[in-house]
Amino acid sequence: MVTSLRSLPVRRPFLTATLAILALAGLAAGALTAEPRAKDLFGAEKLPAVAAAQSFGFYSKGCFAGGVAIPMDGPSWEVMRPSRNRRWGHPAMIALIEKLARDAHADGWPGLLIGDISQPRGGPMLTGHASHQIGLDADIWLTPMPSRPLSMAQRESMSATLMVDEKTHLVKDALWTTRHTQLLKRAASYPEVERILVNPGIKKKLCDTVKGDRSWLRKIRPFWGHDYHFHMRIGCQPGSHGCKAQEATPADDGCGKPLAWWFTAEPWRPNKNPDAPKARDIMTMANLPKECRAVLDAPNPASAEAVTYHGDGLPIAGNDLPIAAAEPPAESSAEATVPVGATAMPASASAFAPTPKIGIPLPRPRPEN
Ligand SMILES: [Zn+2]
């Protein structure tokens, strides 16, 4: 082909044109790689998508519509780090946090300090968590609510209490109380709650001390971090056909071999590839369920207050229309694989295993949350 072009100088203009087209195609390919990152799009949203409440995708790869906010203050809770604007969740999640605040208070816990739930429309976050993307995850501090109300400035600056010795990975006995155990038991008691992530030291403390009913320990899952707060995760909610459920936890209390693994050197080895990009740094809209585009495009409510849940059980105006024809996830995209880098971890020890494929090669060294 090239030879024939050389022998026919008259066709050179065509060659030039062809090269020009190829150059344009190259530019287009370049533009494609510069596609906006999903975390920038979702991180910029200040208000939720007004639509029927629905979660799309998986905890670490998705978004949600019809989100509602938990009020900054309640009778027995305070929202921490309010400037992050992560007090949004599926209405079932927000209702459950309010219920936990009430129940825990009745149990003797002064009140909840609420950490991150989700961004208004979920999606990957600019900083922090890998999960919390579909409105069904919430972080609750292991520090009880102080008796004096916290100012907004204090909520930004106050530190939580580190409950675990970073060298031994054991709970600091001077800090742990039966009230902490009771709070976790209460959270685990709700049928909606599928998993509670805690530091391995906290799991061990419960394994070593809980007497009587130990069935709830099944839901308490050891994971890195989670030494200042615990992470409460509920299952896919009715009406969310595009929500991918996680694998059920094993039926036993999880206090045997899988826990012992956390007290070996293996989980704490330095990350071999610390500079590898995190999933949120490379995910574009193409990596999220297609409904997430509609979630981004959906209208805003009149104000944050208009979609703040006040525990009255009343539907929030406008949140009755489905965002898009809900379809069950395609079998192929629902395929579950153990994350790369986690192969040495017994499946039953991983809070998140198996994780659905994300569609791009991802190093998963030491997930933050
Ligand atoms: Zn969390």
Side-chain angles (χ1 to χ4, degrees), residues 193-277:
V193 172
E194 291 190 343
R195 286 173 194 231
I196 292 172
L197 309 188
V198 297
N199 187 272
I202 295 173
K203 171 81 186 188
K204 180 168 165 48
K205 173 56 87 179
L206 298 175
C207 286
D208 292 348
T209 58
V210 171
K211 306 265 183 285
D213 175 21
R214 289 170 62 92
S215 61
W216 59 279
L217 294 179
R218 173 181 68 81
K219 293 188 185 178
I220 309 283
R221 312 290 297 167
F223 209 64
W224 291 279
H226 300 85
D227 38 16
Y228 294 91
H229 72 269
F230 69 94
H231 174 135
M232 181 167 77
R233 170 171 295 174
I234 65 173
C236 289
Q237 294 300 298
S240 289
H241 304 290
C243 179
K244 288 177 198 165
Q246 66 198 323
E247 193 182 72
T249 58
D252 70 296
D253 62 13
C255 293
K257 243 188 190 169
L259 180 61
W261 179 80
W262 289 95
F263 294 91
T264 66
E266 169 62 26
W268 313 103
R269 285 204 183 109
N271 181 358
K272 279 187 204 127
N273 199 1
D275 300 324

Side-chain angles (χ1 to χ4, degrees), residues 120-203:
R121 300 181 189 214
M125 291 187 181
L126 291 169
T127 56
H129 323 272
S131 64
H132 290 252
Q133 294 193 23
I134 54 177
L136 307 178
D137 294 289
D139 289 345
I140 314 280
W141 288 26
L142 287 161
T143 310
M145 191 170 96
S147 52
R148 287 171 63 95
L150 294 169
S151 69
M152 288 299 149
Q154 286 171 320
R155 296 178 197 207
E156 297 294 345
S157 61
M158 184 184 141
S159 301
T161 313
L162 178 61
M163 304 298 292
V164 175
D165 182 307
E166 283 170 312
K167 287 210 172 80
T168 62
H169 307 295
L170 295 173
V171 159
K172 296 173 182 170
D173 280 321
L175 298 179
W176 193 261
T177 66
T178 51
R179 289 189 314 175
H180 287 91
T181 301
Q182 211 167 7
L183 175 64
L184 292 172
K185 183 179 182 181
R186 178 61 71 183
S189 74
Y190 305 124
E192 302 93 314
V193 172
E194 291 190 343
R195 286 173 194 231
I196 292 172
L197 309 188
V198 297
N199 187 272
I202 295 173
K203 171 81 186 188

Side-chain angles (χ1 to χ4, degrees), residues 24-47:
L24 279 174
L27 278 178
L32 212 70
T33 55
E35 205 186 314
R37 290 172 302 186
K39 69 170 187 176
D40 294 320
L41 299 173
F42 279 97
E45 293 293 338
K46 301 279 182 280
L47 291 167

